[in-house]
Amino acid sequence: MDNQDIAFILNEIGEMLEIQGEHPFRSRAYHRAAYAIQGLAEDINDIYKENNLEKIPGVGKGIAERIVELLKTGKLAYYEELQEHVPPGLLQLIGIQSVGPKKAKLFYDKLGIADVEELLKAADEHRLKDLPGMGPKAEENVRAGVLEFQHLRERILLSEAYPLAENIIRQLDEFDFILRVSAAGSLRRMKETIGDIDILAASNEFSKTMDVFCNLSEVSRVLAKGETKSSVITQIGLKVDVRVVSPEQFGAALQYFTGSKEHNIHLREIAKKKGLKVNEYGVFEVKTEKRMGGAAEEEVYNLLGMQWVYPVLRENKGEIEAATLNNLPNIVNLSDIKGDLHVHSNWSDGLNRIKDVARAAKERGYEYVAISDHAEKLKIAGGLTVDDYRRQWEEIEVANKEIGGVTILRGTEVNIDNEGNVDFEDDFLREFDVVTASIHGGFSQNKEQLTRRILRAIYNKHVNVIGHPTGRILGKRPPYLLDLKAIFKAAAETGTFLELNSFPDRLDLKDDYLKEAKDVGVKFVINTDAHSIGQLRYIFYGLATAQRGWLEAGDVINTYSLEEMMKMLGKE
DNA sequence: GCCGTTTTCGGCCCGACTGTTTTCAGTCG
């Protein structure tokens, strides 16, 4: 059982407790614990062995006992007992729009409905509308919700949602009665995947704003339309929520609507202790109901005695405490990036010539770019032999003379084989400016084997960087089973850099892991792994992930000048 | 079920929208 397994079960327990009508705070406790465990880089088995389970935020005596039982036996009697009362199919139902724990229980108790298909059948046969609290409209909403559930897309990549949101914002911005408009929610926090798009507008003409929004060409169905809040489904099956407030409320509303939920709950708890109340309209003194501010987000945070918090940090993972101490990280910015150390050319499986890559890098304002084509053992990607590299270096030399203003570096992406060996002998590896080593196969090995492979690469003194360290592909492939704590420790000890791969479906290392690795002294490189010059822009998503991982420019090697960076790579 | 500068009990964020009710429960974020 790994962290994800435990988090999954705790989440399901939370949901089952909701359906059972348990006290909401009990179920919230399980969800909070699951959330914390999901983000841990350290293996929960190790945490257990070190007797530190109760140090995980949100894990107390009770939940720690549940976790211990799961880790020891692979089973949990309490979980199985709950499943007898709440069949697994029932948990799907609360994923349907307009169906929550109460209605799911109602449908199950009164009609024996225990999965989505049965619910659709019951709606079609109009057996729902006569249930208490239901009616014809509610029944139709459930039916539409089921159909959407079956077609609705899962969470989509930030890189897909971001342009769509920009497009909607641009259109709304053109109306002169819409004074301000901004993305909010997980999109503004730049989460790697997005469940729905949240947009906030400031206007003095609420209903006109709502009309304009609900009539955008991207909209396929209006789920709800109110005076200040509407929800629609777009043509591509993504939900978009829009909220409109008056201009003087914009800051408080942006704060509230950006979330995360966990961040906001914590913030409002602090407000309460100070005798204040925070909502989407402003900050208020509870006693006098006097409004203290809220036109700008900064006011909200300052009134609570803390620094304004970057949206990318608002996950309730220590940022509120840091902001209170005036101690937020000075997170790395796009303008700090001075080069890319992992770009492919047409020598292996890339699209563009070295010269074109260099010119594109120069246009981005980079000082340097490393051509890091695959090495020979990765035959499927057109891996290069020793002789190929020597000829490539000649081309690099010519291009360096011809272009100027940007330095093209000799890179390589060597493969870490099933035993942890990399392509090429030490004498040849030494001739590269930067050596990145990555795993491209043998994913099904066990945790010890996979960890040993990466550790061997880390201890190879000619390997500078471990590429896409966990190998995950969002929505397609889970990360390799790894002892990340051991890998972070070894990387910090040897001065081996860990890559943050900016490909939108990789973003590997992910945000939570970056933060933990940073805390033990690991340094990073933010690369694109671009296979065409158009993909160099993916640095934008890698950078956002770095920010979410609390990285500062000093933690990232490709924010340094060429000279400084080469020194850090051990090349003079 | 968790947690602590109101600390071992008594709290636990706050409000909009919908559809059912006729003052409110459920859902959502």
Side-chain angles (χ1 to χ4, degrees), chain A residues 370-381:
Chain A
I371 304 297
S372 296
D373 278 312
H374 294 286
E376 60 186 351
K377 283 183 190 155
L378 205 66
K379 294 221 164 45
I380 195 167

Side-chain angles (χ1 to χ4, degrees), chain A residues 206-478:
Chain A
F206 288 11
S207 57
K208 263 171 93 174
T209 304
M210 284 299 150
D211 286 345
V212 163
F213 171 69
C214 292
N215 286 312
L216 290 175
S217 61
E218 283 84 355
V219 172
S220 76
R221 190 166 94 86
V222 177
L223 289 177
K225 186 180 174 192
E227 178 74 1
T228 66
K229 192 177 161 185
S230 296
S231 292
V232 302
I233 300 278
T234 61
Q235 308 285 3
I236 67 161
L238 193 67
K239 189 153 87 78
V240 182
D241 294 329
V242 94
R243 183 95 186 236
V244 58
V245 295
S246 59
E248 70 275 11
Q249 297 166 336
F250 191 75
L254 189 58
Q255 194 290 315
Y256 151 74
F257 217 19
T258 296
S260 66
K261 188 177 174 184
E262 291 77 11
H263 175 89
N264 284 356
I265 288 174
H266 193 172
L267 209 65
R268 289 168 181 199
E269 282 166 358
I270 288 174
K272 207 168 187 175
K273 283 177 191 153
K274 290 180 181 290
L276 299 170
K277 183 176 75 168
V278 178
N279 60 27
E280 56 263 59
Y281 304 114
V283 181
F284 300 86
E285 199 174 58
V286 174
K287 258 190 214 158
T288 60
E289 294 189 346
K290 187 182 164 217
R291 187 170 188 271
M292 311 297 287
E297 265 194 336
E298 286 81 356
E299 281 176 13
V300 177
Y301 286 98
N302 294 344
L303 283 165
L304 298 178
M306 61 186 83
Q307 285 176 280
W308 176 80
V309 179
Y310 302 100
V312 286
L313 299 184
R314 299 183 195 170
E315 302 291 343
N316 195 27
K317 294 197 169 159
E319 74 282 2
I320 289 176
E321 293 79 358
T324 305
L325 296 170
N326 204 26
N327 197 25
L328 281 174
N330 189 12
I331 53 176
V332 58
N333 281 304
L334 198 53
S335 57
D336 294 322
I337 300 293
K338 294 201 169 65
D340 194 327
L341 298 184
H342 189 172
V343 180
H344 294 270
S345 76
N346 62 357
W347 281 75
S348 66
D349 58 350
L351 189 69
N352 300 101
R353 299 178 305 169
I354 289 174
K355 279 182 195 174
D356 298 325
V357 172
R359 288 198 183 96
K362 188 178 170 180
E363 268 175 38
R364 296 193 68 87
Y366 288 167
E367 269 184 47
Y368 47 85
V369 58
I371 304 297
S372 296
D373 278 312
H374 294 286
E376 60 186 351
K377 283 183 190 155
L378 205 66
K379 294 221 164 45
I380 195 167
L384 275 61
T385 64
V386 169
D387 285 344
D388 291 333
Y389 278 112
R390 293 199 187 283
R391 286 188 293 116
Q392 188 186 48
W393 295 345
E394 288 170 17
E395 188 174 319
I396 287 176
E397 205 180 323
V398 170
N400 263 329
K401 280 183 185 147
E402 187 182 320
I403 296 167
V406 61
T407 302
I408 309 164
L409 299 171
R410 298 170 171 188
T412 177
E413 182 179 14
V414 292
N415 185 49
I416 302 173
D417 73 14
N418 286 356
E419 282 72 47
N421 303 305
V422 300
D423 307 66
F424 308 133
E425 298 301 320
D426 287 1
D427 282 347
F428 185 62
L429 286 176
R430 188 178 292 132
E431 295 190 49
F432 288 96
D433 294 318
V434 54
V435 175
T436 299
S438 334
I439 286 185
H440 295 99
F443 305 136
S444 54
Q445 288 183 328
N446 66 34
K447 185 169 162 183
E448 286 68 32
Q449 290 170 316
L450 278 157
T451 302
R452 195 160 58 232
R453 282 167 76 182
I454 292 193
L455 287 177
R456 278 201 63 185
I458 286 176
Y459 283 112
N460 181 325
K461 62 176 183 289
H462 297 291
V463 169
N464 305 113
V465 181
I466 300 298
H468 43 75
T470 73
R472 70 167 182 175
I473 309 278
L474 287 164
K476 290 199 189 104
R477 192 170 79 200

Side-chain angles (χ1 to χ4, degrees), chain A residues 15 79 119 177 238 279 568:
Chain A
E15 285 171 357
Y79 182 49
L119 183 62
F177 56 86
L238 193 67
N279 60 27
M568 295 169 81

